[in-house]
Amino acid sequence: MPVILLLASFSVSAESPVTTSDASATSVSQTSPAVSLLHNYQQAFHQRQYELSYIVVRQGHIEPVRLIHGVVNGVEVAHRVYLNGPANEAVYREGTVAFFEPGQSPYSLASSRLPGMFGNLAAVKLEDLQSNFDLVIAGKSRVAGRPAQVMRIVPKSSDLYGLYLWIDYASHLPLRLDVVDQTGELIEQHMAVTLAEYEKPSEWMTELASLELPSTVMGKESVDKQEHQINWRLGWSPKGMKVAQKEQHSLAAISESVDYIKLSDGLFDISVYANAVGKTNPLREQLVRQGATSLHTVVRKGIEITVVGEIPPETASKMADSVTIGPYFEKPIEPAQ
């Protein structure tokens, strides 16, 4: 089976590994039922052998997806594939995600999680999540013919989305996840169609455990200052967002080196790019939303600023508008709360 993987054309970012906190496991018995439920979800997501088929609904567009997960000789392996259209796949193994896409060279990124909201929730530190969100048990339901426990993940800031999560009673694996705005309007939905569990890893998982993955992409720590010296500062970011990474690397949409910072609260990620206008066809100022992902591009003093992430369009606009350009910053690329 070919291994081909999805990459958003506007965002290529290596990620420093972030593992689920051991402290959350030792203190889970002293926490709320909602935190305990999410802790059980994280354990099941990483430790069980299963195949989950689900659909992703974004603005009326439906994408069927299959996720296969296993643990082979102590090594966690996962494979995600989009089932319609061009074959796009992702392979996770031991802190690395391999990406392939038709027409592009395959590559890998260091990451503690498989891309997607199910993977984000399985990797987030519960302490960080509780700092930025309220976790609430919201009753019982049924998804894909299976009884489920429902919980709400409510943001403490109006600048972020909230989540509804349906967790299978028997396995603690995910059955449904809704991304909602502050009014409760559905923004994006991930809903299981079938969920199958296995006693041992499938042959495909065993094969992936020994498959040679493509080389890991690393960001550029330094570039030619004559060409790439951009002095800029992000003046505002949502509460709880911290700088997870900053570097200069290639942005797929324009194929040249750009300044880049990544912010994260452990659940949602935001990328901010700065690129000098003139080297390529400049991006037009725009504000686009696809499901939970917003992209806002503005031009300031000959510099294109692009904000993209799983945030409301208003938040992306506010961040882009807060960027200042100038020769006087001692420490550029440092967001201020």
Side-chain angles (χ1 to χ4, degrees), residues 37-196:
L37 178 63
L38 194 53
H39 170 74
N40 292 337
Y41 162 81
Q42 292 184 331
Q43 285 192 315
F45 191 91
H46 290 296
Q47 297 175 6
R48 289 183 175 269
Q49 327 281 342
Y50 57 89
E51 179 175 330
L52 175 66
S53 295
Y54 62 99
I55 58 173
V56 180
V57 183
R58 300 184 179 96
Q59 295 169 303
H61 180 67
I62 299 175
E63 295 177 306
V65 184
R66 183 176 65 228
L67 171 64
I68 306 176
H69 182 274
V71 180
V72 182
N73 297 323
V75 176
E76 183 182 3
V77 184
H79 173 233
R80 186 194 68 179
V81 55
Y82 285 78
L83 300 177
N84 283 358
N88 289 294
E89 306 178 24
V91 175
Y92 171 84
R93 189 179 72 205
E94 282 193 306
T96 300
V97 179
F99 291 89
F100 301 78
E101 187 178 39
Q104 294 192 14
S105 299
Y107 65 95
S108 297
L109 297 178
S111 177
S112 64
R113 63 196 186 193
L114 192 70
M117 291 307 304
F118 289 146
N120 290 4
L121 271 174
V124 65
K125 292 183 179 180
L126 296 183
E127 296 91 337
D128 292 343
L129 190 67
Q130 293 177 84
S131 296
N132 302 312
F133 297 84
D134 293 319
L135 310 181
V136 182
I137 297 292
K140 303 175 182 179
S141 185
R142 190 166 172 265
V143 179
R146 303 173 70 109
Q149 181 77 65
V150 186
M151 71 178 300
R152 297 176 61 204
I153 302 176
V154 184
K156 296 180 180 180
S157 167
S158 61
D159 300 305
L160 299 174
Y161 288 128
L163 302 176
Y164 280 86
L165 177 65
W166 284 254
I167 299 175
D168 181 47
Y169 262 104
S171 65
H172 293 113
L173 290 169
L175 291 176
R176 176 177 166 182
L177 184 149
D178 288 359
V179 182
V180 298
D181 63 16
Q182 285 292 315
T183 67
E185 180 182 355
L186 180 64
I187 302 299
E188 183 173 299
Q189 183 177 81
H190 304 241
M191 183 181 296
V193 178
T194 60
L195 172 62

Side-chain angles (χ1 to χ4, degrees), residues 6-328:
L6 177 66
L7 167 68
S9 62
F10 48 75
S11 179
V12 181
S13 61
E15 175 183 329
S16 301
V18 180
T19 57
T20 302
S21 172
D22 293 334
S24 66
T26 58
S27 63
V28 69
S29 61
Q30 304 175 5
T31 57
S32 70
V35 175
S36 297
L37 178 63
L38 194 53
H39 170 74
N40 292 337
Y41 162 81
Q42 292 184 331
Q43 285 192 315
F45 191 91
H46 290 296
Q47 297 175 6
R48 289 183 175 269
Q49 327 281 342
Y50 57 89
E51 179 175 330
L52 175 66
S53 295
Y54 62 99
I55 58 173
V56 180
V57 183
R58 300 184 179 96
Q59 295 169 303
H61 180 67
I62 299 175
E63 295 177 306
V65 184
R66 183 176 65 228
L67 171 64
I68 306 176
H69 182 274
V71 180
V72 182
N73 297 323
V75 176
E76 183 182 3
V77 184
H79 173 233
R80 186 194 68 179
V81 55
Y82 285 78
L83 300 177
N84 283 358
N88 289 294
E89 306 178 24
V91 175
Y92 171 84
R93 189 179 72 205
E94 282 193 306
T96 300
V97 179
F99 291 89
F100 301 78
E101 187 178 39
Q104 294 192 14
S105 299
Y107 65 95
S108 297
L109 297 178
S111 177
S112 64
R113 63 196 186 193
L114 192 70
M117 291 307 304
F118 289 146
N120 290 4
L121 271 174
V124 65
K125 292 183 179 180
L126 296 183
E127 296 91 337
D128 292 343
L129 190 67
Q130 293 177 84
S131 296
N132 302 312
F133 297 84
D134 293 319
L135 310 181
V136 182
I137 297 292
K140 303 175 182 179
S141 185
R142 190 166 172 265
V143 179
R146 303 173 70 109
Q149 181 77 65
V150 186
M151 71 178 300
R152 297 176 61 204
I153 302 176
V154 184
K156 296 180 180 180
S157 167
S158 61
D159 300 305
L160 299 174
Y161 288 128
L163 302 176
Y164 280 86
L165 177 65
W166 284 254
I167 299 175
D168 181 47
Y169 262 104
S171 65
H172 293 113
L173 290 169
L175 291 176
R176 176 177 166 182
L177 184 149
D178 288 359
V179 182
V180 298
D181 63 16
Q182 285 292 315
T183 67
E185 180 182 355
L186 180 64
I187 302 299
E188 183 173 299
Q189 183 177 81
H190 304 241
M191 183 181 296
V193 178
T194 60
L195 172 62
E197 291 189 81
Y198 306 99
E199 293 183 359
K200 60 181 182 179
S202 66
E203 293 184 4
W204 178 227
M205 290 295 96
T206 302
E207 182 178 345
L208 286 182
S210 59
L211 181 71
E212 183 177 356
L213 300 180
S215 300
T216 301
V217 174
M218 302 298 292
K220 299 179 180 179
E221 296 182 357
S222 62
V223 295
D224 187 343
K225 293 183 179 180
Q226 297 295 324
E227 290 186 341
H228 302 287
Q229 187 172 11
I230 301 174
N231 212 354
W232 64 291
R233 175 176 292 169
L234 178 63
W236 178 87
S237 61
K239 184 179 180 181
M241 287 286 172
K242 299 178 181 178
V243 175
Q245 183 183 357
K246 55 183 177 180
E247 62 183 26
Q248 292 178 318
H249 69 192
S250 178
L251 184 63
I254 58 177
S255 301
E256 57 179 48
S257 183
V258 299
D259 286 347
Y260 159 79
I261 61 173
K262 173 184 173 182
L263 301 97
S264 179
D265 61 2
L267 181 58
F268 295 115
D269 299 333
I270 307 172
S271 297
V272 185
Y273 300 92
N275 176 64
V277 175
K279 295 181 174 58
T280 62
N281 293 325
L283 296 173
R284 294 178 298 175
E285 294 201 7
Q286 58 182 327
L287 177 58
V288 179
R289 195 191 83 187
Q290 182 178 14
T293 301
S294 297
L295 182 149
H296 191 196
T297 299
V298 298
V299 178
R300 299 285 184 272
K301 297 183 178 180
I303 305 299
E304 292 172 347
I305 304 297
T306 299
V307 177
V308 59
E310 299 144 328
I311 50 176
E314 298 82 5
T315 302
S317 296
K318 189 174 179 181
M319 292 183 67
D321 291 341
S322 77
V323 171
T324 49
I325 309 294
Y328 46 82

